[in-house]
Every structure is written in structure tokens, then in C-alpha cells.
Amino acid sequence: MDAIDRKILSLLQENAKLNTKEIAEKVGLTLSPTFERIKKLEQQQYIKGYVALVDGGMLGRSITVFCQISLFKHSKELIENFKKEVGSLPEIISCHHVSGNYDFLLKVAVSNMNEYQNFVVEKLSVIQGISNMQSSFVMEEIKNENGWVW
Amino acid sequence: MDAIDRKILSLLQENAKLNTKEIAEKVGLTLSPTFERIKKLEQQQYIKGYVALVDGGMLGRSITVFCQISLFKHSKELIENFKKEVGSLPEIISCHHVSGNYDFLLKVAVSNMNEYQNFVVEKLSVIQGISNMQSSFVMEEIKNENGWVW
DNA sequence: ATCCATAACAGAAATTTTTTCGTTTTTTAA
DNA sequence: TTAAAAAACGAAAAAATTTCTGTTATGGAT
């Protein structure tokens, strides 16, 4: 893992459709060593996978909400249960267990308010152990990198 | 945009390395129409791009923090300035302008506490207009989909 | 029922990309 | 300084993808 490897990661996390030749040019190597480096980065799992970025808005998934969740108490049982439920709800884009004023931060995406209400009332609030919930509606996405290399 | 297109999006957002042949099999079409559909989805920007998912932890980017930011007042000038500054800070993975108890939610990734302190003191707090800041450290990432199709 | 437009099909050709391999260069350590 | 290891190189092959045909099927509208 040297500077060239990082450069390769940085390029691929921007645009995974770059082919080996193009990457080779950009990092200043020829095809073969570049190819070997990429394969190695994949094998070693520096690269976890390749995905297409889909425009949620174009599919009508236009409302995004961040929900702060607090549990009654921090028992292992409640936490494990909460994690399990989160995994099964497709409306939940991301979920982080955090320290601080609340316990979990959810990012939720739905098509409309009705769907959001339904999500909260029927799916989220029925999870046991939740003591408090606070929603912040996203008005604008200013930045959303998926990159970790720069 | 029909059910087959959505299936294609769903497959590609999981794994962009699937080739046309494999996708064709999974959606029950042959190569040519599948190929045309994918190209169309790209042209119409349902697919915004293809990226490699890089393991931040393996690169030492091991601390993730969510920061809630409040501004003194919601003037256009302050907001525009804040957005501009956010764009130039690579530690900020994402930034959303939200409604509710605070104005902006940042996701920040750094290598260690020292770097975080430096980020807060030297880069974030110097942005004009910030009245309040609250940090929540991520203890566990329970879910982090980049998908919008299911 | 028939026509039209759209979508799917099958196959082949052209192009590009990936992969491999032997050789050369560079780096590292003794 | 020299020997061993690692990395880079260049070229060729193998494989896969893209692109292009012309044909057939499907679905709606008249």
C-alpha cells in the first residue's frame, strides 16, 4: 500500500468504469503492474466491491429523513433486537450506533409523506425499547461522497 | 421504466461487475435487449455512475463522527458560505441541510482523535455563522446501503 | 382484425479489455 | 558492491464486451 495504490483507489472510487489502460496512464505505470495492483487491492479487500449509483429521486424516492433514536436502556437484548429490525426495513438506508445524546442515527428514504408516516407508525415505533425519536427532514443534500481516499 | 428496469438497477447497485449476460439471465431476457436497457438507464441518468467501495478502516480512516451544526441565523449569505466551505473539506463525507433542531448534519471521517480535534478547531469552527455544534461518535455502523431500489 | 410501433431475439463481426508470460529494470539488504 | 527479491515492462493470446445486422414477437390503437 503505497502512494500509487492510494491513487488507484481514489480513481476507482470516483469512477469504477475506468479501464486498466486509463488508470495506468493516470498513475504513470504501464498496463501490467497496474493490473496486478488492482487485483491485489481487490483480493486484500481494500476494495469491497463495485456498485452502480442509482438516482433515488428519479425513482420517486424523494423524501429523506434523519431520525435520532433513543432506547429506554442500553441492554444488550434491546440493542440486538433493534439492530435486527433495522436490517429488515428497506426504507432505512443507513443506521449508526452512536455515543451522545441519542443512541442510533437512521437515514430513511421514502416516496412521500404518507409512506413516511406509515413507516414510523407501523414499522419503526413498534420496535420495542424505543423511548424517543426525533426526525430531521432533509431539505438539500449538499455533499454525499462515498469516498474515503483523497 | 418498468419492473425489469428496476430489477436491473437493483442488481447493478448491488454489484456493478455483473456483466450483461449475467444480468440478462437474472431478469429473463436475452443479451441485446438487456444491453439496450442498461445503456438507456445510463443515458437517462437513472444510473449516476459506477464506483468502487473502498474500506476506509483499512486505510486508517477509523473514526466517524456525526456533527449537528446550527447557524446564528438562516441568511442566504451564511448558508451559501457554509456550503462552499463544506465542499472544500475532504474530512466531510456528507452534508445535509435539514429542518428541525439544527441546520446541517455532517458525517466526518478521520484517522484519529488528534486529527478530529484539528478538524474541529482549525477547519470547522472557523467557518463564520456557526452558533452551535454537537458531535456524536459512531461506535458501530449497523447498516450503510447505497441503494435506493428494492 | 389489422396495422403500427415498440421491444425482444439470434447471430456474427469488430473492438476492447483482460490476462498471461518471459524479460528487464529497480530496489533492498547483506 | 553485489546478490536476491520485488516491481515494472512489452508484447501477444485469450476472453469478453460492444455493436451491428435483419428477423420475429408483442401490445395497443384504430
Side-chain angles (χ1 to χ4, degrees):
Chain A
M1 171 55 52
D2 59 12
I4 293 180
D5 282 331
R6 260 190 299 279
K7 184 80 186 289
I8 291 174
L9 289 179
S10 166
L11 290 166
L12 285 175
Q13 84 177 356
E14 287 274 322
N15 178 14
K17 282 292 170 178
L18 290 171
N19 61 35
T20 313
K21 191 177 156 195
E22 291 167 316
I23 293 173
E25 282 167 13
K26 286 175 196 289
V27 301
L29 290 179
T30 55
L31 219 140
S32 1
T34 306
F35 178 77
E36 283 160 12
R37 279 169 180 267
I38 294 171
K39 286 296 158 222
K40 203 173 210 173
L41 290 170
E42 288 170 356
Q43 279 165 9
Q44 293 173 152
Q45 307 255 270
Y46 281 98
I47 295 171
K48 293 185 290 181
Y50 295 91
V51 301
L53 299 179
V54 174
D55 189 318
M58 285 184 73
L59 293 164
R61 197 63 42 75
S62 55
I63 297 181
T64 305
V65 188
F66 284 98
C67 298
Q68 300 174 6
I69 310 277
S70 301
L71 299 185
F72 280 121
K73 53 171 186 173
H74 297 176
S75 77
K76 182 164 184 176
E77 194 196 336
L78 283 183
I79 291 174
E80 289 302 319
N81 181 253
F82 184 80
K83 284 161 62 173
K84 185 170 69 63
E85 298 292 339
V86 160
S88 72
L89 296 176
E91 292 91 343
I92 299 176
I93 301 293
S94 73
C95 172
H96 292 79
H97 190 185
V98 300
S99 72
N101 296 328
Y102 54 98
D103 297 315
F104 295 94
L105 180 64
L106 305 184
K107 184 180 182 183
V108 176
V110 290
S111 299
N112 51 57
M113 270 300 163
N114 206 47
E115 199 175 313
Y116 185 66
Q117 187 197 14
N118 183 261
F119 168 76
V120 171
V121 176
E122 304 289 344
K123 301 183 177 180
L124 198 55
S125 66
V126 300
I127 300 176
Q128 64 179 193
I130 294 179
S131 71
N132 196 268
M133 227 189 90
Q134 215 167 93
S135 299
S136 291
F137 285 78
V138 172
M139 298 188 289
E140 188 188 2
E141 178 179 296
I142 289 149
K143 186 177 189 175
N144 197 10
E145 310 270 323
N146 61 312
W148 297 81
V149 198
W150 61 81
Chain B
M1 172 52 56
D2 57 12
I4 293 179
D5 282 331
R6 260 189 298 279
K7 184 81 187 289
I8 292 174
L9 289 178
S10 165
L11 290 166
L12 285 175
Q13 83 177 356
E14 288 274 320
N15 177 13
K17 283 292 171 182
L18 291 172
N19 60 36
T20 312
K21 193 176 155 196
E22 291 167 316
I23 292 173
E25 283 167 11
K26 286 175 196 290
V27 301
L29 290 179
T30 54
L31 216 140
S32 355
T34 307
F35 181 76
E36 283 160 13
R37 278 169 180 269
I38 295 170
K39 285 299 157 221
K40 202 173 210 173
L41 290 170
E42 288 169 357
Q43 279 165 10
Q44 294 175 150
Q45 307 256 269
Y46 282 99
I47 295 172
K48 293 186 290 183
Y50 296 90
V51 300
L53 300 179
V54 173
D55 190 319
M58 284 184 75
L59 293 164
R61 195 64 39 77
S62 55
I63 297 182
T64 304
V65 188
F66 284 98
C67 298
Q68 300 174 5
I69 310 278
S70 301
L71 300 186
F72 279 121
K73 54 172 183 173
H74 297 176
S75 76
K76 184 166 182 177
E77 194 197 335
L78 284 182
I79 290 174
E80 288 304 317
N81 181 255
F82 184 80
K83 283 160 64 172
K84 185 171 68 66
E85 297 292 339
V86 160
S88 72
L89 296 175
E91 292 91 344
I92 300 177
I93 301 293
S94 72
C95 172
H96 293 78
H97 189 185
V98 300
S99 73
N101 295 328
Y102 54 98
D103 297 315
F104 296 94
L105 180 64
L106 306 183
K107 184 180 182 182
V108 177
V110 291
S111 298
N112 52 57
M113 270 300 165
N114 206 48
E115 201 175 312
Y116 185 66
Q117 186 198 14
N118 183 259
F119 168 76
V120 171
V121 175
E122 304 289 344
K123 299 182 177 179
L124 199 54
S125 66
V126 299
I127 299 176
Q128 63 176 196
I130 294 180
S131 71
N132 196 268
M133 229 190 89
Q134 216 168 94
S135 299
S136 292
F137 285 78
V138 172
M139 297 188 291
E140 188 187 4
E141 178 179 297
I142 289 149
K143 186 177 189 173
N144 197 8
E145 310 270 323
N146 61 313
W148 298 80
V149 199
W150 59 83

